[in-house]
Each structure stands twice: as C-alpha cells, then as structure tokens.
Amino acid sequence: MDKKEYRQIAEQSANGDAKAFAKLYGLIYREMYYTAFYTLKNDDEAISAVTQTARSGFGAIGNLHSEQQFRTYMMKTLCVQIKNIFKYYTDNSLDSSQPEIKKALFELPNLERMILAMNIAGKFSCDDIAAFAGMTKIGVKKRLEHAKLKLDIED
C-alpha cells in the first residue's frame, strides 16, 4: 500500500469508517493473532488481546501517519494487552494431550514465549520486537537465543 492510499484509508478510518479500518487491520491481524496465541497459550485470551488492540487502533488511527506507524502501534499495543493478561494468569497447567513441541513452547517463561512467537509466527526482527515490547535489541536477542536453545531450534 502506498502512502497516498494509506493516508486516504486512515482518514476514512479516523472519521469512523469501520470498513476502511478493516482494510488496514487486515494487513496485520494474522501476525497479531499468532503472536498472541502462542504467547498466551489460549485461543480465547488471544482473541481478547487482539480485539482490545483493534479497538485501540481504531481510536488512534488519526494520529498514525504511515503504514509502518500503524503496524508498530498495533504490535506495541498488543504487547501491552498480553502483559496485562499475564498479570491475571492463574492456570499454568498443561493438557496431557498437547503435542510435545507445544508443551515445550508453553513451558517457556512468558516473555521468552512472546518474543519467540513474534519472531517465528510474526516473522518480526529483533529490532521490531524490541520496539514493540519496549526492550533493548540485545535483551530481545538474548531471550530469543535462550528460548531457541531450550527448544533446540536452529536459525
């Protein structure tokens, strides 16, 4: 999407056009959902986090002047939503019917799991993840390497 098209759609969205916002949201919703799902370990919580993020994005679209700003805002907001859900996490039990890789993934610390999910499912770079999660690039790299080592994932 070029800048002119983005600005036109963003302006329509800022004026309350939900269909225009849906076009922008359609560019990133899968990345957001997969990041949330593999981080939170629960479909309902992932949908809740993504939905809350979309609501926030719809309200803020008028202040976001490029597709990259929209993407960054949405992923930052999703990280905040995920962190808020972590605060209320109470069920850490694993279902015995889950595949081994899923069990291993869900046993990672929350932050490492989120970073790994963003990197693998969302295909985000360490720079992007650092910006989204409010961390340093070195901190992200360290946690990503640690998570991959635990799961025996090679780059």
Side-chain angles (χ1 to χ4, degrees):
M1 174 179 305
D2 65 17
K3 288 182 181 183
K4 183 178 179 180
E5 183 181 4
Y6 173 83
R7 278 191 226 122
Q8 181 182 12
I9 294 171
E11 186 175 309
Q12 291 169 343
S13 296
N15 291 327
D17 185 339
K19 287 183 181 180
F21 180 78
K23 287 180 185 178
L24 297 176
Y25 180 65
L27 299 172
I28 62 168
Y29 80 92
R30 282 192 175 115
E31 295 166 347
M32 291 173 55
Y33 171 77
Y34 289 130
T35 297
F37 176 75
Y38 287 114
T39 302
L40 295 168
K41 307 185 277 187
N42 181 294
D43 186 54
D44 291 336
E45 288 178 346
I47 290 170
S48 176
V50 171
T51 301
Q52 290 292 71
T53 301
R55 285 183 186 140
S56 177
F58 187 69
I61 192 70
N63 299 322
L64 306 172
H65 303 292
S66 72
E67 186 178 339
Q68 184 58 41
Q69 281 183 336
F70 175 73
R71 180 183 173 107
T72 299
Y73 175 84
M74 294 297 279
M75 292 306 295
K76 278 185 174 183
T77 304
L78 179 63
C79 287
V80 169
Q81 293 298 326
I82 289 170
K83 288 176 183 179
N84 287 339
I85 290 171
F86 284 156
K87 289 179 186 177
Y88 299 103
Y89 237 76
T90 56
D91 183 15
N92 292 322
S93 64
L94 294 173
D95 182 87
S96 61
S97 66
Q98 293 175 330
E100 291 304 310
I101 188 69
K102 194 173 178 183
K103 282 185 182 181
L105 178 65
F106 289 172
E107 289 175 353
L108 289 173
N110 293 336
L111 192 54
E112 285 181 17
R113 192 172 57 255
M114 182 175 75
I115 290 168
L116 185 65
M118 292 177 93
N119 180 254
I120 293 174
K123 296 182 176 74
F124 292 107
S125 70
C126 288
D127 287 332
D128 288 339
I129 296 168
F132 301 152
M135 298 175 64
T136 65
K137 180 181 176 181
I138 293 171
V140 169
K141 277 184 139 180
K142 182 179 174 183
R143 290 176 192 268
L144 182 59
E145 288 170 5
H146 190 252
K148 286 182 175 183
L149 182 65
K150 281 183 179 178
L151 298 177
D152 198 25
I153 297 173
E154 295 182 22
D155 285 323

